[in-house]
Amino acid sequence: MPHATSQASPWIRRFTPLIPAGSSVLDLACGRGRHMQWLASQGHAVLGVDRDAEALQTASQWGDTLHADLEEGSPWPLPGRQFGAVVVTNYLWRPLFPALLARVQPGGVLLYETFAHGNASVGRPSSPDFLLQPGELLQVLREAGPEWRVVAYEDGFLSDPERFVQRVAAVREEPQQEPVRYPLQADVA
């Protein structure tokens, strides 16, 4: 697995406070469960989905797991089920975007971070099929409808390890009168 680490992504850690307290969370392409471990430690019930049965054995210590290969044309394995958050890192299968967005309940959060255009110049993945195009996550959310509020978005280069990434934190807002205050980190001087 390229760029594997045992710690939760700083992006996921930073925006975890947006997830409603005690929510159920779907970690798609969870691998060995680094984000499951983090999210469970924050009080969330986590379901990890991955096609690697061996990796799921490790991940299962932090929550429920489901073995599924979503790229083989199988139907979505969780019909009608929604979560307080959907987390996806280092994974891209564009046909899943509608199903993923539908899994986020109103008031819930989408945290997505994966490789982007330019990554072929520094390593794998290098196929355009697995690299987001500039602004692609924003476009997906824009097309999904006005209930999606982007709280944070980045598209650029990270150096340790070297990789091009695109990432978004977005809330599926509920209709309401008062604006919601989404907590952000204070600016660093």
Side-chain angles (χ1 to χ4, degrees):
M1 174 189 298
H3 310 297
T5 180
S6 62
Q7 292 187 346
S9 155
W11 184 259
I12 302 304
R13 290 194 318 263
R14 177 178 177 192
F15 291 102
T16 296
L18 294 178
I19 302 171
S23 289
S24 62
V25 177
L26 172 62
D27 183 356
L28 184 69
C30 68
R32 296 193 180 284
R34 67 186 173 121
H35 294 110
M36 290 180 65
Q37 181 179 15
W38 165 254
L39 293 160
S41 77
Q42 302 303 300
H44 300 291
V46 188
L47 170 61
V49 176
D50 204 285
R51 68 180 181 182
D52 183 340
E54 184 180 321
L56 287 173
Q57 289 177 358
T58 302
S60 67
Q61 62 190 306
W62 297 294
D64 293 330
T65 59
L66 176 63
H67 181 246
D69 188 343
L70 302 174
E71 297 173 24
E72 292 298 319
S74 301
W76 179 256
L78 304 163
R81 189 153 171 209
Q82 290 189 312
F83 299 85
V86 171
V87 173
V88 184
T89 61
N90 298 341
Y91 179 75
L92 176 62
W93 186 248
R94 288 175 177 91
L96 286 180
F97 279 139
L100 288 177
L101 297 177
R103 300 296 68 94
V104 179
Q105 67 192 32
V109 179
L110 172 69
L111 300 177
Y112 205 118
E113 173 182 28
T114 198
F115 301 99
H117 176 76
N119 202 68
S121 68
V122 295
R124 296 184 65 183
S126 58
S127 169
D129 291 342
F130 304 112
L131 302 176
L132 289 165
Q133 292 302 304
E136 188 172 351
L137 285 176
L138 291 176
Q139 184 64 30
V140 165
L141 291 166
R142 199 173 295 121
E143 291 173 0
E147 71 269 20
W148 286 98
R149 177 168 174 186
V150 173
V151 176
Y153 170 80
E154 292 183 344
D155 186 354
F157 181 75
L158 296 172
S159 61
D160 187 22
E162 287 190 340
R163 65 206 186 279
F164 286 80
V165 299
Q166 194 172 133
R167 47 200 187 183
V168 70
V171 177
R172 185 175 186 181
E173 293 190 314
E174 299 181 68
Q176 53 202 316
Q177 303 294 346
E178 296 293 319
V180 176
R181 296 180 183 187
Y182 300 112
L184 302 175
Q185 287 182 334
D187 292 330
V188 177

